[in-house]
Amino acid sequence: MAAVPSIPEYYQDKCVFITGATGFMGKALLEKLLRSCPDIRRVYILIRPKKGKEVSQRLEELLNSKIFDNLVKVQPNYRDKVYPVTGDILHDNLGVCETDEKCLIRDVTVVFHSAATVKFDELMKLSVEMNVVGVSRVISFCKKLKNIQALLHVSTAYANCNQEKNVEEKIYEPPLHPNKIMDAVDWMDTDILDALTPKMIGDRPNTYTYTKSIAEYLVKEECANIPTAIFRPSIVGATWDDPVPGWVDNYNGPTGLLAAMGCGLLRIMKGDHHATADIIPVDFTSKMMIATAWYTAVHKPENMSVYHCTTGQINRFTWGEMEKLSFSYLMKNPVNTVARVPNPRFTKNGIWHDLNVVFDHLIPAYLMDFYMWILGKRPIFVKIQERLRKSVGSLDYFTTKEWNFTNAGLHKILHVMTPEDKKSFNFDPKIINWAEYMEAYCLGTKKFVMKEELDELPKARRTLKRLQRINMATNVVLIIVVWRLLINRVPIAKSLWNFLIGWAIKIFRHLPKTIKSS
C-alpha cells in the first residue's frame, strides 16, 4: 500500500481552480496555497470585470493585497503561478473562453468554489442566481474536468440556522427543491419575487442562508460522481496569526461592528451576553479548506461529507466577552476617527435597546450634525446612523441566538494529518487565545480596513482622553441641570434635597467635636 502523501506533497505539481479568489476567504486561501504548498504548479482563478476594471487590473489589486506581503519575501516569483481566467458564475459555462476551458479541462485536479453573494439583504433573484444557479454552473463545468479529484463547495454553518439548537454535519432537506426555485427565478418578475421573499424564507432570517441551504441540496443531487466535500465556516473574522495577526480586508461581520464601536458610533445592539459568538479566524478556514480537499482526494470518503469549521463547541467565546474585550482594546488602541468615547453594549431587552438608540445614537447624531452645519461642513452622522442601524439589524438574529455545531469532521482530518502538516495547517480552535485575538482584531481593523498607521496611536490616545474629559464634563452638567429641574418642579425631590443638605450641615458641625474627643 502506497504511503499517504502529506498536504504539500499532494499539491505538488497540481493545478487548482478557485472561484471567489478576490473575496476575503479567497485571498487567504490563495496566499496559503502558494506559501505552504510551494511546489504547486498553477492556480487558476476565475475573475470577472467589475466596475469598469478589467481582469488584469483586478488581478493586480488582488496580488497587491497586504496579505501577500510576506509571500513575496519567500517566493518572489509566486505571481507566475497565478493564472487569471476571465469569467463569471452568472454566465453559462462560467463565461470561460474556449482556450481557457481547454486548459482547465486538461490541468485541474482540485476545485474550490467560494464565489457567492454574502449580502444578507440581497434581492432574492440575484441571491438565487449567484448562490444556486451559480453552483449548478460550477458543477456542470467540473463534470468536464478529466482529472478532478476533489470539489470543495463553500457553504455556511448558518445554512440550517432554522434548526432549533443542534446542527449536524449532514445535508438537511431544503426549504424548496433547487429546480423549483431556479425555474421560478427564471420566469418570475423581480417585483413579485421581492413581494414573496418573506413568505419564501419562512423561519430563516435572510436570502443568504435560504439560498445556501438550497445550494447544499443541489450539490448532493448533482455531484454523485465527483469527489465532493461541503465546507461550512461560521462567522469568519480576521486572521489569528497566519501570515500575520489581525489581517482583514472588509467591513463584513464583526469587523464592521469593531470599526463602528471604535468610532463611538455603535453603542448598543441586540445580543445575548451568554450566547456563543462563533467566530472563526480566516486563516483557520483557508488551512482547513486545503486540508479538506486533500483528505477528500487522498482518503476518498465513501459518501459526500460535510465539515463544520466552527469554534463554539471547542473553544467557546461569548458576545459578552466580545463586548468586554473590544471595549478594553478599543480604549487601549483607539482609532484616529473616534467621534465619541467607545461604549459598546449588548442587550436582550428590546425596549431598553430602542431607548438607547434614541438617546445614545440618534439625538447625539442630530446634535453632531447641527455642529457640523454651524461649521459649514456637510452633516453626516444621521445618515451614518441610518446605515448602521440597517447593517446591525441584519445581525440581530445571530447575536441573540446560539447553535451547537458538531465538529466530528474537523477532528477526523486533524487525526490523520502528519505532525509537520499540523504545524503548517493547524486549524484546531483550541489554540486560540481570545483576548490576544481580539486585540489583534481591533488593531487589524484599524490598520488594514480603516487604513490608519499604527505610529499615529499616541495622537489618537490624546484625542480619546480629550473626549473622555468632555464626556465627563457634559455628564456632570447634565446631572446638575436635571437635578435643578427636579428640585424646582417636583416637591418630593425638593424635600429630599433639603433633608440631605440639612443632614450634611449637621455632620460638618459635629465633625470638629468628634476630632477633638478622639
Side-chain angles (χ1 to χ4, degrees):
M1 184 177 175
V4 174
S6 67
I7 293 176
E9 287 172 347
Y10 170 73
Y11 284 99
Q12 181 177 345
D13 206 35
K14 293 284 194 304
C15 291
V16 170
F17 182 38
I18 302 175
T19 71
T22 56
F24 179 43
M25 289 176 61
K27 288 174 185 172
L29 171 65
L30 176 61
E31 191 277 339
K32 184 63 178 176
L33 270 172
L34 293 168
R35 180 165 47 86
S36 297
C37 301
D39 295 320
I40 195 168
R41 181 151 61 99
R42 179 172 285 180
V43 181
Y44 294 97
I45 57 175
L46 188 73
I47 306 182
R48 62 189 172 103
K50 185 180 180 182
K51 295 180 180 178
K53 293 180 181 178
E54 296 299 320
V55 166
S56 57
Q57 291 176 279
R58 297 198 67 204
L59 176 65
E60 191 65 21
E61 288 179 359
L62 165 64
L63 298 180
N64 285 335
S65 176
K66 290 292 184 182
I67 196 172
F68 293 96
D69 285 355
N70 287 349
L71 177 60
V72 74
K73 297 173 185 176
V74 295
Q75 291 195 49
N77 299 319
Y78 77 90
R79 290 177 180 236
D80 296 340
K81 295 183 179 182
V82 181
Y83 187 92
V85 176
T86 302
D88 191 338
I89 61 171
L90 292 175
H91 298 155
D92 290 336
N93 202 43
L94 304 182
V96 175
C97 72
E98 186 177 345
T99 303
D100 286 342
E101 182 182 15
K102 287 179 179 178
C103 292
L104 293 168
I105 290 172
R106 181 190 66 226
D107 295 343
V108 170
T109 53
V110 177
V111 176
F112 295 96
H113 174 50
S114 64
T117 174
V118 297
K119 287 178 64 177
F120 285 176
D121 59 349
E122 189 67 84
L123 296 178
M124 179 64 80
K125 191 175 187 67
L126 183 55
S127 192
V128 172
E129 277 287 337
M130 292 196 70
N131 295 351
V132 183
V133 182
V135 172
S136 178
R137 293 188 179 110
V138 169
I139 294 170
S140 297
F141 196 89
C142 286
K143 289 177 179 179
K144 301 177 184 180
L145 305 181
K146 294 179 178 179
N147 303 305
I148 189 166
Q149 295 178 8
L151 164 62
L152 186 135
H153 168 70
V154 179
S155 183
T156 171
Y158 299 98
N160 303 287
C161 59
N162 60 320
Q163 298 299 311
E164 193 64 35
K165 186 78 172 178
N166 300 313
V167 181
E168 300 177 24
E169 291 174 305
K170 68 177 186 180
I171 299 171
Y172 289 83
E173 286 293 318
L176 190 65
H177 193 276
N179 290 338
K180 290 184 178 180
I181 189 67
M182 287 191 288
D183 289 343
V185 167
D186 190 43
W187 65 265
M188 198 175 289
D189 184 78
T190 301
D191 292 337
I192 297 174
L193 262 177
D194 293 344
L196 292 174
T197 294
K199 188 173 180 64
M200 291 171 71
I201 64 176
D203 54 0
R204 284 179 169 82
N206 50 50
T207 56
Y208 173 68
T209 57
Y210 175 79
T211 52
K212 280 292 188 179
S213 173
I214 294 172
E216 286 190 359
Y217 196 80
L218 177 66
V219 171
K220 176 185 177 182
E221 286 198 329
E222 297 295 327
C223 291
N225 297 317
I226 302 175
T228 304
I230 293 176
F231 183 76
R232 291 180 184 159
S234 51
I235 303 169
V236 183
T239 54
W240 163 240
D241 65 356
D242 192 12
V244 292
W247 175 80
V248 63
D249 76 338
N250 61 74
Y251 283 102
N252 294 337
T255 311
L257 299 183
L258 292 176
M261 290 172 180
C263 292
L265 301 177
L266 178 60
R267 308 171 70 77
I268 190 78
M269 68 176 291
K270 290 180 181 177
D272 185 348
H273 279 82
H274 305 291
T276 302
D278 208 309
I279 298 171
I280 186 78
V282 70
D283 48 335
F284 279 53
T285 67
S286 60
K287 287 185 272 192
M288 188 171 171
M289 286 169 72
I290 294 167
T292 302
W294 161 82
Y295 183 86
T296 303
V298 171
H299 290 271
K300 298 178 171 60
E302 290 185 11
N303 301 311
M304 186 183 297
S305 298
V306 177
Y307 300 89
H308 285 156
C309 185
T310 58
T311 57
Q313 302 305 300
I314 302 172
N315 186 359
R316 191 167 181 266
F317 182 55
T318 65
W319 294 111
E321 290 173 299
M322 181 181 174
E323 174 191 301
K324 180 181 177 182
L325 291 173
S326 61
F327 172 75
S328 175
Y329 293 122
L330 289 170
M331 294 296 288
K332 178 181 177 182
N333 304 308
V335 300
N336 296 355
T337 51
V338 59
R340 297 179 66 194
V341 178
N343 185 24
R345 289 156 290 150
F346 286 99
T347 179
K348 289 195 297 182
N349 189 305
I351 296 174
W352 178 245
H353 169 268
D354 293 345
L355 284 171
N356 274 270
V357 167
V358 172
F359 289 100
D360 209 8
H361 281 195
L362 294 178
I363 291 177
Y366 277 104
L367 291 174
M368 292 165 79
D369 271 355
F370 180 67
Y371 178 68
M372 297 284 282
W373 178 76
I374 290 174
L375 295 178
K377 297 181 179 180
R378 184 168 61 91
I380 57 171
F381 290 101
V382 172
K383 287 183 178 179
I384 290 175
Q385 281 298 331
E386 289 172 355
R387 290 200 299 268
L388 191 59
R389 291 323 306 166
K390 182 180 178 181
S391 175
V392 171
S394 67
L395 301 175
D396 290 349
Y397 183 91
F398 303 96
T399 54
T400 54
K401 299 175 183 288
E402 69 175 356
W403 295 263
N404 298 327
F405 301 110
T406 58
N407 295 102
L410 180 149
H411 294 299
K412 181 171 60 177
I413 296 173
L414 282 172
H415 180 70
V416 297
M417 287 167 59
T418 65
E420 291 76 16
D421 282 349
K422 286 180 181 177
K423 289 179 183 177
S424 296
F425 299 91
N426 190 0
F427 49 85
D428 189 346
K430 287 180 182 177
I431 69 171
I432 302 172
N433 179 304
W434 289 112
E436 292 179 15
Y437 179 70
M438 286 307 300
E439 180 168 21
Y441 202 160
C442 290
L443 282 169
T445 300
K446 174 183 174 69
K447 179 180 179 181
F448 298 112
V449 180
M450 303 179 77
K451 310 298 183 185
E452 297 180 358
E453 296 297 330
L454 297 187
D455 57 11
E456 295 177 345
L457 269 172
K459 182 181 178 182
R461 287 170 181 148
R462 289 195 296 271
T463 300
L464 181 60
K465 285 188 179 297
R466 185 172 68 251
L467 286 174
Q468 284 178 292
R469 290 193 290 269
I470 293 171
N471 187 61
M472 184 176 293
T474 303
N475 288 339
V476 168
V477 171
L478 187 62
I479 290 170
I480 292 171
V481 170
V482 170
W483 184 242
R484 289 298 301 173
L485 287 172
L486 285 172
I487 291 173
N488 292 333
R489 296 181 179 276
V490 181
I492 295 176
K494 188 173 184 178
S495 300
L496 178 62
W497 177 247
N498 291 333
F499 170 76
L500 290 172
I501 292 295
W503 186 65
I505 290 171
K506 286 181 181 180
I507 290 176
F508 279 109
R509 282 176 177 172
H510 287 85
L511 195 59
K513 295 179 181 178
T514 305
I515 293 171
K516 286 180 181 180
S517 62
S518 62

